[in-house]
Amino acid sequence: MKLVAATGNSHKLREIREILNGFEILSEADAGFFGEVEETGETFLENALLKARAVCGATGLPALADDSGLCVDALGGAPGVYSARYAEKFAPSDWDAGNNAFLLKNLQGVSDRRAYFCCAVALVFPDGRQLTAEGRAYGTILSKSRGIGGFGYDPLFYSDELGQSFAEAGEAAKNSVSHRGRALRALAEQL
Ligand code: IMP
């Protein structure tokens, strides 16, 4: 089955291809989509549906979108749906180092460092059918970065299940317990 991954994030695209390895996954560019979809939703699922519907409508192909982020208990669930733009006032948006530095600053002196990654995925077909799924990964926020793999908040996220940060884990290990891995495998089961 051929799907367009409705994301401009090359790291997400790589993970989606690894996790859904039985599917042919086109990038937005492969499918001729060069637009930007505004993420105006208040939940991960709303944003995933917005992106998948827009890319499916523009390309005429089934489109798969992921919306994801980090939710920190002591910050009332922030940065949540604003994870990519958390430090945009201080650093260019979606700049991982700026976001990570801002997160550490906001957690200075905080002992409860529990957090989870959440991922909602939506697959929208040209005939209007849609499938959705969600996945979570639980852990704690480290007080300094560990590891060089992954992307985004991975160096600061210590996975309870892996016993290491997502940036220390190999790709296969991260995908086996990650929010994205769980959401995409649940979606594939529905398919
Ligand atoms: P989105 O494009 O609005 O879904 O942005 C998701 C943001 O959440 C990313 O830019 C990262 O900051 C963060 N994020 C989502 N998934 C991951 C992950 O697997 N590792 C690290 N950061 C992630």
Side-chain angles (χ1 to χ4, degrees), residues 7 9 12 15 39 44 47 51 66-70 80-85 94 96 99-100 117-119 150-155 157 166 174 178-180:
T7 179
N9 181 325
K12 282 189 184 178
E15 290 186 5
E39 297 181 19
F44 294 114
N47 282 333
K51 290 187 266 189
D66 144 317
D67 198 66
S68 45
L70 180 69
V81 291
Y82 304 107
S83 291
R85 298 164 267 167
D94 210 358
D96 292 344
N99 286 338
N100 284 343
F117 272 122
C118 185
C119 175
F151 71 101
Y153 299 96
D154 280 347
F157 184 80
F166 269 178
K174 176 183 170 186
S178 78
H179 48 312
R180 189 163 299 103

Side-chain angles (χ1 to χ4, degrees), residues 34 110 116 130 174:
F34 297 97
V110 175
Y116 62 89
Q130 59 188 46
K174 176 183 170 186

Side-chain angles (χ1 to χ4, degrees), residues 20-140:
L20 294 184
N21 56 17
F23 297 79
E24 187 182 346
I25 311 281
L26 304 181
S27 68
E28 290 183 339
D30 294 336
F33 181 83
F34 297 97
E36 273 277 328
V37 183
E38 248 200 287
E39 297 181 19
T40 51
E42 284 176 10
T43 63
F44 294 114
L45 192 55
E46 280 171 25
N47 282 333
L49 279 166
L50 278 175
K51 290 187 266 189
R53 285 186 189 132
V55 173
C56 177
T59 62
L61 291 166
L64 171 73
D66 144 317
D67 198 66
S68 45
L70 180 69
C71 303
V72 180
D73 290 12
L75 302 177
V81 291
Y82 304 107
S83 291
R85 298 164 267 167
Y86 192 35
E88 75 183 339
K89 284 195 194 131
F90 317 101
S93 69
D94 210 358
W95 186 48
D96 292 344
N99 286 338
N100 284 343
F102 191 48
L103 176 63
L104 284 182
K105 183 173 167 287
N106 290 337
L107 286 178
Q108 240 167 24
V110 175
S111 56
D112 175 5
R113 303 181 75 92
R114 285 172 298 173
Y116 62 89
F117 272 122
C118 185
C119 175
V121 288
L123 175 59
V124 172
F125 293 89
D127 66 6
R129 280 176 303 158
Q130 59 188 46
L131 295 176
T132 60
E134 287 196 355
R136 287 184 179 191
Y138 288 88
T140 49

